[in-house]
Amino acid sequence: MADQEEWSSNANEALNISFVQAGQQSPVKLSTFHPKFTYPIFGEEECIFGYQGLNITIRFAAYDLLPNLSVKYDKKFKTVNDTEALNIEETLKEWMPEVSFEPSAEFNHRIQYDTAASNWKPPGELVESYQSRGRNFEIWCADLIDPAVRQLIDHIQILISLFIEGGTPIPLDDADWSLAKWRIFFVYEKSTSLASSSTSPYSLVGYCSTYRFNTYSPSVRTSPSEGKTPLTFTLPADATTSTKPTSQETTDPNTPPFSLSTLPFRARISQFLILPSHQSHSHGTRLYQTIYTHFLHTPACTELTVEDPNEAFDDLRDYCDYTHLLTTPTFPLLTLPTTLPPTLFAKRPGTRVPTASLLPLDRLASLRHGHKLAPRQFARLVEMHLLSTIPPFIRASGTARLTQKARAKGDDDRRWYYWRLLVKQRVYKRNRDVLAQLERTDRVEKCEETVGEVVGEYERLLRRMRERGGGDTMTSSERIGVEGFEGGEGKGVVNGTAAAAADTGAVRRERGKKRKVVVEEESELEGTPEPKKVKEGAGG
């Protein structure tokens, strides 16, 4: 056992990641950091056997992300029978492109004397420019079918497995029509102060991958501006006709039978990564807002969803979506009724109050479709806003003021009762199969417990918005770049979108499990119940 520990290294500590650019005489480091997770590469224990004084360095050119691997150590374990040191280079070949294994001297020369570097710029289209803390940043986007974009992703996507819990690389060997469904957004810093005139002013800050799910059926969505004529989408004629191949072109597996750009689609944020050295500087908020705006003004896009977000990304997303809806003429005016028709309560006790009696469902549906928000995400935002309209001292009372329920004398007391009914209905619908198996008293207790957790979550978000100048009093200029929701921006979402914020030494659930991108039907948007647990999360 002593020998095992003596020759074992913690993979998270042994692995160093650096971004470099040309300096006056040799490449200089812009940033260096350790990974969050290495279990997808080195196993559940995140240990590397067979070395003492192990140091693994992965360097990336800051602009075109060319990678280079360097492995150094003081001592290496001599093979005894079947026990031998892990071959680190062979292990990493599955995760890094072949160019990564060139000698470090060649990498240094390439960085220092690349004649094309000074004219290099990110591929695709510049969609956003902004300043933060006196520095200049740009957001570019392009489809993955672009060879330059594909090369950047091939270089960098080992970071998805190192920083995103459950994240898996994008399969870059798919057919071109499949790669065209991926749209990548890059955040770059554009520096005006360079150590060498021959280097590129661009250095990576982070990136996000999005995927397009075509719906293949006619759909109607309202425009982003409320009150305008709805946008109607129909399938192109060649997409609805069944034809046999008539030429070599139509039998080519890399050629789609029709133009994908003409079909309505759901956009899904799949991977979202801000490098550790740039976190807590509002880049995550900027990137999400840019992606949302891009798809909001893409006519064929019907909805923006997120794949398996973690809690930190949920916070960032809630903040951005909520503050966006506050700019609309309808959303800020939403409120719960203080009275309902007496006929609703003339029935037997326990009869469910219809949601349509509490909210203007048609108007809300139009608002949700117009702003392309997923159903459960929109429901949470509505609930959070309605909660903010109830005085804090009422909310803090919990269930203490609910004895009179709908017959309470105070208007706010009745709103508080109706709000809790609204949340319970959504929670029950999402967890119907689990709750139906419980006794009525246990079912009520579980729902009450979950509603209490929802209140706590919304209170936390509203409080942080107020602290950072958000909420109902936020001005349009304050809505951009709030740092209080950036704590987990680099931990991502996943394709795996979502990376958990667990400590690297903690036991992680479902490690190594490959997550697949699937078409999200309406039933999925409502969530799948977990055994013995009532769930409440954003998702979708």
Side-chain angles (χ1 to χ4, degrees):
M1 186 63 180
D3 290 340
Q4 178 79 15
E5 294 179 355
E6 181 183 358
W7 291 100
S8 294
S9 304
N10 184 294
N12 294 331
E13 297 175 358
L15 180 56
N16 298 276
I17 300 166
S18 299
F19 282 76
V20 302
Q21 68 177 194
Q24 292 183 350
Q25 297 179 342
S26 61
V28 295
K29 294 181 181 179
L30 298 180
S31 60
T32 300
F33 43 86
H34 295 289
K36 288 290 183 182
F37 320 106
T38 53
Y39 66 86
I41 302 174
F42 297 111
E44 183 72 23
E45 299 300 323
E46 296 184 328
C47 285
I48 300 173
F49 175 78
Y51 302 90
Q52 292 181 1
L54 179 62
N55 187 297
I56 306 171
T57 300
I58 300 177
R59 292 186 295 168
F60 295 93
Y63 61 105
D64 68 356
L65 312 181
L66 180 73
N68 181 254
L69 173 69
S70 172
V71 181
K72 297 180 180 179
Y73 49 85
D74 297 333
K75 292 182 181 180
K76 184 176 180 179
F77 182 81
K78 295 181 179 180
T79 303
V80 177
N81 298 326
D82 294 333
T83 304
E84 60 182 358
L86 178 71
N87 190 324
I88 297 173
E89 288 85 354
E90 280 297 320
T91 301
L92 287 171
K93 280 183 178 179
E94 180 185 348
W95 302 87
M96 301 180 68
E98 187 175 348
V99 68
S100 309
F101 302 92
E102 293 181 351
S104 295
E106 292 185 16
F107 176 82
N108 292 340
H109 187 273
R110 153 73 159 74
I111 296 299
Q112 194 65 22
Y113 302 106
D114 184 3
T115 56
S118 59
N119 295 321
W120 188 93
K121 66 178 183 179
E125 172 191 5
L126 176 62
V127 293
E128 177 75 9
S129 298
Y130 65 95
Q131 286 190 329
S132 177
R133 306 189 181 193
R135 297 156 68 178
N136 300 315
F137 298 90
E138 296 178 352
I139 300 178
W140 294 70
C141 75
D143 292 335
L144 190 55
I145 195 173
D146 184 336
V149 177
R150 197 181 316 184
Q151 185 179 66
L152 289 177
I153 295 300
D154 187 39
H155 286 170
I156 202 69
Q157 68 176 346
I158 187 177
L159 296 186
I160 296 303
S161 299
L162 297 177
F163 287 95
I164 295 181
E165 182 91 36
T168 56
I170 298 173
L172 299 177
D173 55 353
D174 280 356
D176 287 350
W177 66 267
S178 179
L179 293 178
K181 288 190 171 187
W182 290 93
R183 192 158 183 81
I184 313 297
F185 293 79
F186 294 99
V187 184
Y188 272 91
E189 179 179 2
K190 188 175 184 181
S191 178
T192 56
S193 177
L194 301 172
S196 170
S197 59
S198 63
T199 191
S200 171
Y202 288 98
S203 59
L204 186 73
V205 171
Y207 79 97
C208 174
S209 64
T210 64
Y211 189 80
R212 179 172 62 236
F213 288 103
N214 293 102
T215 56
Y216 300 111
S217 61
S219 59
V220 178
R221 295 292 185 264
T222 58
S223 64
S225 300
E226 300 170 58
K228 292 188 177 181
T229 304
L231 302 174
T232 303
F233 302 101
T234 57
L235 289 174
D238 58 346
T240 58
T241 57
S242 176
T243 60
K244 295 181 179 180
T246 57
S247 67
Q248 179 62 33
E249 181 180 357
T250 58
T251 59
D252 185 349
N254 288 330
T255 303
F258 49 82
S259 175
L260 293 173
S261 63
T262 62
L263 292 173
F265 67 91
R266 279 196 193 111
R268 175 180 286 180
I269 292 176
S270 183
Q271 302 164 326
F272 192 101
L273 177 67
I274 301 296
L275 300 180
S277 53
H278 291 282
Q279 290 177 25
S280 299
H281 291 179
S282 299
H283 299 300
T285 298
R286 283 284 191 173
L287 179 55
Y288 179 86
Q289 289 173 330
T290 299
I291 293 168
Y292 177 80
T293 301
H294 173 83
F295 286 113
L296 185 65
H297 294 96
T298 301
C301 179
T302 62
E303 192 172 276
L304 178 62
T305 65
V306 179
E307 181 183 352
D308 196 12
N310 71 344
E311 291 182 4
F313 189 86
D314 273 341
D315 284 359
L316 186 150
R317 181 191 184 193
D318 287 343
Y319 165 76
C320 292
D321 290 347
Y322 185 69
T323 53
H324 167 75
L325 287 176
L326 288 177
T327 66
T328 68
T330 300
F331 185 79
L333 302 179
L334 288 175
T335 185
L336 286 166
T338 58
T339 59
L340 291 178
T343 54
L344 288 176
F345 303 97
K347 302 177 182 179
R348 63 182 178 85
T351 298
R352 182 173 67 88
V353 176
T355 305
S357 301
L358 299 174
L359 295 173
L361 296 185
D362 290 343
R363 198 187 336 157
L364 288 177
S366 177
L367 183 64
R368 182 182 76 79
H369 290 313
H371 294 274
K372 303 184 181 182
L373 296 170
R376 192 164 76 244
Q377 171 69 358
F378 184 73
R380 284 166 45 82
L381 298 174
V382 170
E383 291 169 3
M384 185 159 61
H385 172 68
L386 293 176
L387 182 67
S388 73
T389 66
I390 300 172
F393 75 93
I394 299 287
R395 286 143 41 184
S397 68
T399 59
R401 303 177 66 95
L402 297 178
T403 55
Q404 298 298 313
K405 299 183 179 180
R407 295 181 295 277
K409 294 182 179 180
D411 289 349
D412 291 324
D413 286 328
R414 292 194 294 275
R415 286 195 181 99
W416 179 227
Y417 170 68
Y418 294 144
W419 185 88
R420 294 179 67 88
L421 277 183
L422 192 69
V423 176
K424 287 178 186 178
Q425 289 175 13
R426 181 174 65 84
V427 169
Y428 185 84
K429 181 179 179 182
R430 190 183 177 203
N431 299 273
R432 187 190 307 273
D433 292 341
V434 171
L435 292 172
Q437 300 174 25
L438 302 178
E439 296 292 336
R440 185 179 185 281
T441 54
D442 294 335
R443 190 160 59 239
V444 171
E445 181 180 346
K446 284 291 184 182
C447 283
E448 288 289 351
E449 178 184 331
T450 304
V451 171
E453 293 174 356
V454 172
V455 173
E457 180 185 359
Y458 292 167
E459 291 282 13
R460 176 180 60 83
L461 289 168
L462 292 169
R463 181 172 61 252
R464 292 181 68 179
M465 288 182 188
R466 288 193 298 270
E467 291 172 354
R468 297 289 177 171
D472 297 325
T473 61
M474 176 179 281
T475 65
S476 59
S477 61
E478 290 173 325
R479 287 191 177 96
I480 296 177
V482 172
E483 298 175 12
F485 293 84
E486 302 287 318
E489 63 182 9
K491 302 180 181 69
V493 269
V494 261
N495 114 305
T497 344
D503 292 335
T504 55
V507 177
R508 301 172 182 90
R509 293 172 293 178
E510 300 184 52
R511 278 188 166 179
K513 180 180 178 182
K514 297 291 185 180
R515 293 175 178 169
K516 297 172 66 178
V517 176
V518 296
V519 177
E520 191 174 55
E521 303 295 345
E522 192 69 20
S523 59
E524 281 189 272
L525 292 175
E526 293 301 326
T528 303
E530 290 181 354
K532 301 181 181 179
K533 181 179 179 181
V534 177
K535 296 195 297 182
E536 165 49 38

